[in-house]
Amino acid sequence: MNQTITPITRFDGFPRLSLDEFREQFPDAGVGQRRHPQPARCIDSTSGDERVIEGGDVRLLLITGNVSIDEALLVSTAREGWTHIAVDGDLHLEGRTTSDAYDCGMKRVYFVSGDLHAGSVDLTSIPSNTVAGRIVAQCAWLSADDDCAMRTAPELRVHARFLFAWFYSIDDLTIGPDAVIFILGNGNYCADLRLPNPSFQWHEDIHVLAEPFVYIVQREGSDAPGWVTGAIEAALARGGSIFRDGFDIACYPYHRAAQAQAEADEQRAAYLLHKKTAAIAPGFYESWLGMGGALFQAGAYRQALAAYRTAASLFPADQTGLVNLAFNYASLCALYLEQFDQAIELASMSVAHNREAESENDAFGYAYRCRAEAYLLAGRMEQAFADLEEAIRLDRHDSATQWLMGLLHYQRGDGEQARLFHARASRYQTCFSAFYDVETGTAFLYHAPTELDWDSVSLDTVSLPVGDQAR
């Protein structure tokens, strides 16, 4: 049955209430109160930024029924004898397609007893239980003032297509099951949201959202907010998609299940689930990277190399501040297949990808380490030495790089330097205790090359594990 929604075009004739009168009429409203606060899961959590509407000068305009109000009207109307509105019913806030405006209509809303409908909602500015029903929106946003601590989201029921949270814990939100969550903040918290929703943490968004909707990430580990709010809101308002070409959110259950199988070292199951993910979302970098990873862990380097090459081609070319891991892992595959020229080529492509980055960081060193080993095994000692020096300059704590530098000195006949670098490599990682008279490369760390028949399994027979099917 369709609800009757009454447009409000002027604010004359509605009763006025003081806060005390409102609380007497709506004793269970609990605006600004948390009825069911969840235990803090971050050591740096705080709820200190939550907006509070209090004071003797607060006067409410009470509107009864399911109504629609144009946000521009709500913001621009001279408020004679009232400061905020309270709606006893549903509120449709029309024209609300952006969360960015400083003087937005939501700041004039004190309470909604039913549902709030809007295009885009800034949850940061809404006190707990301002809306007794659901907040129904295309997108909802939480953005802290800084990255010093994880703020706690207000207690609200959010049914948005997309939720974006920057340095906010979202445990006090009741989130609709179909919402897609993008979150950046405390790493341990973001990795363990304990929600069934599709969720992407930190810079995973660059593989999910189309390039107009994400900023360039300056460097690995950058915690700057990465979403182009206005572009996202505009696209959703006109009914467009914000996903990358070749990405389909329907792949997510298989993607998450594949990650869980990989963590459990069930590489065959992980591979098949990643392959199923790629069948649904062929442009999803993470699925091809995961396929390569499962094959690599099992020693199927030739097959892994093909998956990594596909993954590398899907990495956003303009994200030069981030490492395209697929290039590096593909280089290792070629190395362990003794295809040294191809290993050098792939590592060089990784180096080139990061050459235009605004700032360098230690993660860039791995490509030089990969290329250096290929040079070393190909007998190109001077080039290997130059790359190892650069890898150590970028990341002096990488044990593989230290071990390879020791190998190079050993092959040059400099036993003292060989022992020095070997000691550095094996001090914290005992897997590098093997000396150079026994091992002449890092292949001993992994399986011998093999071929696998995993592709003989029909994807029609690949299903979610039982626990994941229930989600």
Side-chain angles (χ1 to χ4, degrees), residues 294-331:
L295 291 164
F296 184 95
Q297 290 301 319
Y301 304 124
R302 184 191 64 79
Q303 294 158 288
L305 177 56
Y308 281 139
R309 275 192 172 276
T310 300
S313 71
L314 295 171
F315 195 94
D318 58 350
Q319 294 288 355
T320 58
L322 300 177
V323 174
N324 186 342
L325 294 173
F327 277 138
N328 294 340
Y329 298 156
S331 176

Side-chain angles (χ1 to χ4, degrees), residues 7-20:
I8 302 297
T9 58
R10 55 190 302 162
F11 296 102
D12 298 334
F14 295 105
R16 270 70 164 170
L17 299 175
S18 67
L19 282 182
D20 288 340

Side-chain angles (χ1 to χ4, degrees), residues 92-404:
H92 294 253
L93 198 55
E94 304 295 344
R96 183 66 188 154
T97 60
T98 176
S99 65
D100 241 3
Y102 173 76
D103 193 15
C104 65
M106 274 309 302
K107 292 186 178 179
R108 310 290 174 87
V109 177
Y110 182 78
F111 178 69
V112 179
S113 70
D115 293 342
L116 168 68
H117 296 259
S120 179
V121 179
D122 176 15
L123 302 177
T124 311
S125 66
I126 305 178
S128 292
N129 293 302
T130 291
V131 180
R134 304 169 304 158
I135 296 176
V136 182
Q138 291 284 349
C139 50
W141 306 82
L142 288 161
S143 185
D145 290 336
D146 54 53
D147 60 359
C148 296
M150 290 285 285
R151 278 62 167 188
T152 303
E155 193 176 88
L156 297 164
R157 296 167 60 195
V158 179
H159 285 243
R161 288 180 61 195
F162 299 95
L163 172 63
F164 299 86
W166 187 73
F167 277 88
Y168 260 90
S169 67
I170 56 178
D171 294 342
D172 281 9
L173 294 177
T174 300
I175 301 171
D178 296 327
V180 180
I181 300 169
F182 296 92
I183 187 166
L184 194 158
N186 178 285
N188 291 332
Y189 175 83
C190 294
D192 186 26
L193 291 183
R194 304 177 188 177
L195 292 169
N197 301 70
S199 55
F200 303 94
Q201 61 168 309
W202 280 73
H203 304 311
E204 291 176 338
D205 53 9
I206 70 167
H207 305 301
V208 176
L209 299 176
E211 292 177 16
F213 308 119
V214 286
Y215 288 112
I216 300 298
V217 181
Q218 298 301 316
R219 66 186 310 275
E220 293 281 351
S222 169
D223 63 8
W227 311 298
V228 186
T229 306
I232 290 171
E233 291 169 330
L236 294 176
R238 62 176 180 265
S241 172
I242 61 174
F243 291 132
R244 290 179 64 87
D245 288 342
F247 179 82
D248 187 333
I249 197 63
C251 78
Y252 185 79
Y254 294 98
H255 171 57
R256 175 152 63 182
Q259 291 177 313
Q261 293 297 315
E263 289 175 6
D265 200 26
E266 297 290 343
Q267 301 302 337
R268 181 178 183 275
Y271 174 80
L272 293 173
L273 287 163
H274 277 305
K275 188 176 179 183
K276 183 89 168 188
T277 305
I280 299 169
F284 187 29
Y285 169 86
E286 295 283 356
S287 61
W288 292 96
L289 187 73
M291 289 166 64
L295 291 164
F296 184 95
Q297 290 301 319
Y301 304 124
R302 184 191 64 79
Q303 294 158 288
L305 177 56
Y308 281 139
R309 275 192 172 276
T310 300
S313 71
L314 295 171
F315 195 94
D318 58 350
Q319 294 288 355
T320 58
L322 300 177
V323 174
N324 186 342
L325 294 173
F327 277 138
N328 294 340
Y329 298 156
S331 176
L332 286 183
C333 288
L335 178 73
Y336 298 147
L337 292 169
E338 299 185 355
Q339 298 174 5
F340 303 134
D341 287 344
Q342 186 176 189
I344 292 165
E345 174 199 5
L346 288 161
S348 296
M349 292 169 76
S350 181
V351 170
H353 171 73
N354 295 126
R355 189 164 286 134
E356 301 302 319
E358 291 192 12
S359 60
E360 64 182 22
N361 60 81
D362 56 8
F364 293 174
Y366 198 76
Y368 289 96
R369 163 262 180 274
C370 293
R371 192 169 66 179
E373 185 169 5
Y375 279 140
L376 187 59
L377 297 182
R380 298 163 67 174
M381 303 287 281
E382 293 306 315
Q383 289 159 300
F385 182 72
D387 270 2
L388 287 171
E389 282 197 316
E390 182 65 5
I392 289 173
R393 184 187 72 80
L394 289 165
D395 183 6
R396 61 188 180 87
H397 300 293
D398 183 69
S399 296
T401 304
Q402 298 284 351
W403 191 90
L404 288 167

